[in-house]
Amino acid sequence: MNKRFVAGLVCLAALMFSACSKPAGSYEVEVISPQRTSAPAPNSNSSATATPTPKPQAGYLVGPFQEFEIVGSLADYSAPTQTQLENRDQLAFFKQDGKTGVIDLNGTIVIPAEKDVHWCPVCGITNADESEIYDAKGQVVGSGGHGLADTEVVFDPNRKGLYVADMGVFQPWTDGVVNTLEPVVAQVATLTDTTKDNSQWKGYSFLEEDHPVLLGETQGYMLFNPDGTLLSKQVFQAVERASTGLFAVQQQDVWGYLNQATGEMLVEPVYLAARPFWGDRAAVKTETGWGYISLAGSEKTTMTFLDAATASSDGKAWVKTQDGWGVILLADYKPG
């Protein structure tokens, strides 16, 4: 077995889940203002000096704001192996002036956008050059430097094998190069023999360095158990981690949710886009707009938002209307 495999691969499972597809964009529909069944009181815990605006509009717990865009909830990521980062469902990445910061559900900017942070599966929230790691309060608790993983896991339908790139050499998954307890997301692509003189050769080899191969275009994604056996025979357009026990999967341009223990579809693919489940709620996009569904696939809110982030454990979420991004209580937006 090839022993050169770098230590960064210990976080491979978390990295693969986030790399398989890009977040869906906003769904543009006409929304005058959110309708609600009760009016919340302003959040007394929010600091007027630390929030973009001190008083929420009717229909919101916080906001709405037009000066920034919510990128996504930190609940969309697995707990980082180094810092754990508790209560990450209360935090979200926001984009302002081309840079990324962190804001909480009270509207408090925890980390200013000028820090231009991103997510690391090992250390959690880290700045642009990974010289700082932040906790849930925005305090610097260490330095990072793990970089971005470029490891690839490939299922070759011609060779009928699952392989992982170790320093550019594709090794059989069963060789135990990667140790993970999580299901594996693999791109479906062919490994074709070639020569090092081929101008299209990108440096990949098969089993040993003197066996050059071409990595073909991705044909989709398949799911495998940690031991390398098939979890599902289906080839998906895209796969994203949805929560412990679930994957969000795309087939024929629509999204649903798959049980990672059985490989069976829990919620049939009918949605234009799908966010991760957190608890028993997930944000999905329908023909009329964004809203929230249950694990059974039933609509739990109105489905008319322009965009929506993953909801927190206490039922709050960032949603977007024509007024901008604001925080709502899901229970106040029951479907009509």
Side-chain angles (χ1 to χ4, degrees):
M1 182 181 69
N2 195 314
K3 299 295 185 179
R4 298 166 301 158
F5 199 70
V6 295
L9 279 174
V10 296
C11 62
L12 175 65
L15 288 170
M16 289 187 296
F17 298 148
S18 62
C20 291
S21 61
K22 297 179 180 179
S26 298
Y27 184 71
E28 296 185 0
V29 295
E30 289 294 328
V31 178
I32 304 303
S33 63
Q35 297 179 352
R36 52 182 291 115
T37 56
S38 64
N43 193 323
S44 59
N45 293 326
S46 296
S47 169
T49 59
T51 58
T53 184
K55 295 182 179 179
Q57 291 184 17
Y60 298 90
L61 298 176
V62 175
F65 313 120
Q66 294 189 350
E67 55 266 41
F68 61 80
E69 289 284 325
I70 294 296
V71 177
S73 170
L74 271 66
D76 294 352
Y77 303 93
S78 296
T81 57
Q82 181 171 310
T83 60
Q84 294 304 302
L85 202 66
E86 296 180 356
N87 301 318
R88 63 188 183 282
D89 63 315
Q90 302 291 315
L91 303 174
F93 286 124
F94 72 94
K95 183 79 73 173
Q96 189 173 33
D97 298 329
K99 295 185 178 181
T100 303
V102 175
I103 192 169
D104 66 18
L105 287 170
N106 293 322
T108 301
I109 294 177
V110 177
I111 302 173
E114 63 188 39
K115 291 291 186 178
D116 201 16
V117 297
H118 64 270
W119 182 263
C120 169
V122 176
C123 53
I125 309 169
T126 183
N127 62 340
D129 62 4
E130 298 193 348
S131 61
E132 297 178 341
I133 298 173
Y134 305 92
D135 63 14
K137 296 181 180 180
Q139 301 297 314
V140 177
V141 293
S143 61
H146 298 94
L148 299 177
D150 56 2
T151 303
E152 296 177 86
V153 179
V154 171
F155 175 73
D156 186 333
N158 294 337
R159 301 175 191 270
K160 305 295 183 184
L162 183 66
Y163 304 96
V164 60
D166 176 356
M167 302 283 290
V169 178
F170 282 101
Q171 301 287 338
W173 181 266
T174 51
D175 279 3
V177 177
V178 178
N179 181 21
T180 178
L181 299 177
E182 297 288 338
V184 179
V185 182
Q187 61 174 310
V188 180
T190 57
L191 299 172
T192 306
D193 294 341
T194 188
T195 66
K196 294 183 179 180
D197 295 330
N198 189 333
S199 61
Q200 296 182 331
W201 184 58
K202 303 299 183 182
Y204 291 114
S205 299
F206 182 68
L207 299 183
E208 53 191 25
E209 290 183 358
D210 59 358
H211 188 167
V213 291
L214 296 176
L215 176 62
E217 293 185 3
T218 300
Q219 303 167 27
Y221 299 89
M222 294 184 69
L223 293 164
F224 292 82
N225 293 306
D227 62 1
T229 59
L230 272 173
L231 174 62
S232 172
K233 295 181 179 180
Q234 300 179 75
V235 178
F236 301 102
Q237 286 176 270
V239 177
E240 292 184 353
R241 185 191 69 85
S243 70
T244 301
L246 292 176
F247 286 109
V249 294
Q250 185 185 36
Q251 283 185 313
Q252 298 180 342
D253 298 327
V254 288
W255 289 82
Y257 295 90
L258 181 137
N259 187 315
Q260 79 171 36
T262 65
E264 297 178 352
M265 200 68 69
L266 180 66
V267 179
E268 289 299 319
V270 295
Y271 302 105
L272 302 181
R275 307 280 189 228
F277 266 95
W278 183 266
D280 63 349
R281 294 289 182 270
V284 296
K285 177 181 171 184
T286 68
E287 293 289 346
T288 59
W290 283 88
Y292 294 82
I293 62 169
S294 69
L295 286 167
S298 60
E299 295 180 0
K300 306 306 291 186
T301 68
T302 55
M303 311 296 286
T304 56
F305 298 109
L306 297 181
D307 207 341
T310 298
S312 66
S313 55
D314 54 0
K316 299 176 184 177
W318 285 99
V319 298
K320 185 179 183 180
T321 70
Q322 65 179 17
D323 297 318
W325 282 94
V327 177
I328 65 165
L329 188 64
L330 298 192
D332 292 331
Y333 294 85
K334 296 177 181 178

